[in-house]
Amino acid sequence: MIDLTGRVALITGGSRGIGRATAILFAKANADVAITYLKNDESANQVIKQIKELGREAIAVKGNVGKSEDVKRMVKEVLERFGKIDILVNNAGIWTYGAIGEMSEETWDETMEVNLKSVYLFSNEVVPIMKKQKWGRIINISSTAGQRGEAFHSHYAASKGAIIAFTKSLAVELAKYNILVNCVAPGWVNTDMCAEVFSDPNFVEQVKSTIPLGRIPEPEEIAGPIVFLASELANWITGATISVNGGSVLCY
């Protein structure tokens, strides 16, 4: 039912986890896809290969999402390849431990740069393109941590909470240009970012006990709502945060 034929989607952090699943689902919906990645050439190339096997065009652009010069270059490469950007998914992110009183300034700064500054940088570069097109969809990936806070990860929670506020602000600012801006807030997801903590079976069971649906989702289950927000089915949604967490955090 969702058909994104003719659309070009740019997904940051698209070589793994939620970004990877989202890139592939966009391709299944007939969109052409660009992904960004930082280090893993093999993983990025695998995503591109999968997308091309689905009959869509795709490129991977390498760079640091928190550095302005890299972002400008990556966006330029996407434009040179596709001529436009219709959909931006600000997905790139990191999650690290940081007890307050012990957290280094470097840890705080790195989290803000990757998780939050990247959202600003890519939006700042892509919005002028979308304004000219008079059409655009921006989907920012937040977290339940940004909705309720997260002890020992206050830097992560702060970055994700700021994304929700940024989303609401841009939604009002850009509505007149037919640019819709929304947010998806996942809870725990079975990705490599969580692999270390999920290696403890007791911790996994503890997490499951906090989720009414009783299990930990796969990245594809987060990708679905993201692609929905980019589709014609979501034409009357902007400034919203969709909680995709199995009922673990109920917000209003």
Side-chain angles (χ1 to χ4, degrees):
M1 190 172 182
I2 292 178
D3 186 0
L4 298 173
T5 299
R7 299 299 185 192
V8 174
L10 169 58
I11 301 147
T12 68
S15 67
R16 62 178 188 148
I18 293 170
R20 179 191 187 108
T22 301
I24 292 168
L25 193 57
F26 268 117
K28 289 180 178 178
N30 297 319
D32 293 325
V33 180
I35 64 168
T36 77
Y37 72 104
L38 180 60
K39 294 178 181 177
N40 195 327
D41 295 332
E42 182 180 355
S43 180
N45 290 335
Q46 287 175 354
V47 177
I48 299 308
K49 182 174 182 288
Q50 283 184 267
I51 291 172
K52 289 185 175 181
E53 287 173 351
L54 291 167
R56 306 313 309 170
E57 294 299 318
I59 61 168
V61 288
K62 188 174 185 178
N64 188 329
V65 297
K67 302 298 183 185
S68 178
E69 59 273 19
D70 279 19
V71 171
K72 289 178 185 294
R73 174 184 52 77
M74 288 189 282
V75 170
K76 182 180 178 182
E77 287 183 32
V78 177
L79 284 178
E80 288 174 347
R81 175 63 183 82
F82 294 112
K84 63 175 184 171
I85 298 170
D86 299 300
I87 301 157
L88 171 64
V89 180
N90 284 308
N91 164 76
I94 57 173
W95 180 71
T96 57
Y97 180 86
I100 202 67
E102 302 172 9
M103 187 194 315
S104 69
E105 186 174 350
E106 289 76 18
T107 296
W108 174 275
D109 287 346
E110 180 188 28
T111 298
M112 290 300 161
E113 184 173 271
V114 176
N115 291 6
L116 181 58
K117 187 179 179 181
S118 68
V119 178
Y120 149 69
L121 288 174
F122 274 94
S123 298
N124 208 44
E125 288 298 311
V126 171
V127 162
I129 299 162
M130 291 180 172
K131 282 183 177 181
K132 290 179 182 177
Q133 297 169 177
K134 300 189 185 306
W135 199 98
R137 301 291 182 265
I138 299 174
I139 301 105
N140 298 320
I141 310 305
S142 181
S143 167
T144 52
Q147 296 171 308
R148 67 179 176 187
E150 187 174 0
F152 305 105
H153 302 276
S154 59
H155 53 324
Y156 178 79
S159 70
K160 293 299 186 176
I163 286 172
I164 293 173
F166 188 72
T167 297
K168 292 178 180 179
S169 301
L170 290 196
V172 176
E173 182 176 333
L174 300 177
K176 65 182 178 181
Y177 300 102
N178 195 29
I179 301 171
L180 307 185
V181 188
N182 290 292
C183 189
V184 168
W188 291 103
V189 184
N190 187 25
T191 67
D192 57 355
M193 190 168 78
C194 301
E196 183 176 350
V197 292
F198 284 172
S199 65
D200 179 354
N202 292 327
F203 182 78
V204 171
E205 290 306 311
Q206 181 183 341
V207 168
K208 287 181 180 178
S209 72
T210 68
I211 302 173
L213 287 182
R215 62 182 178 83
I216 296 169
E218 296 301 318
E220 290 75 13
E221 295 176 280
I222 314 303
I226 296 170
V227 174
F228 161 73
L229 286 172
S231 77
E232 299 296 322
L233 297 176
N235 278 349
W236 202 240
I237 302 175
T238 196
T241 297
I242 297 183
S243 298
V244 190
N245 58 45
S248 60
V249 177
L250 300 176
C251 298
Y252 61 89

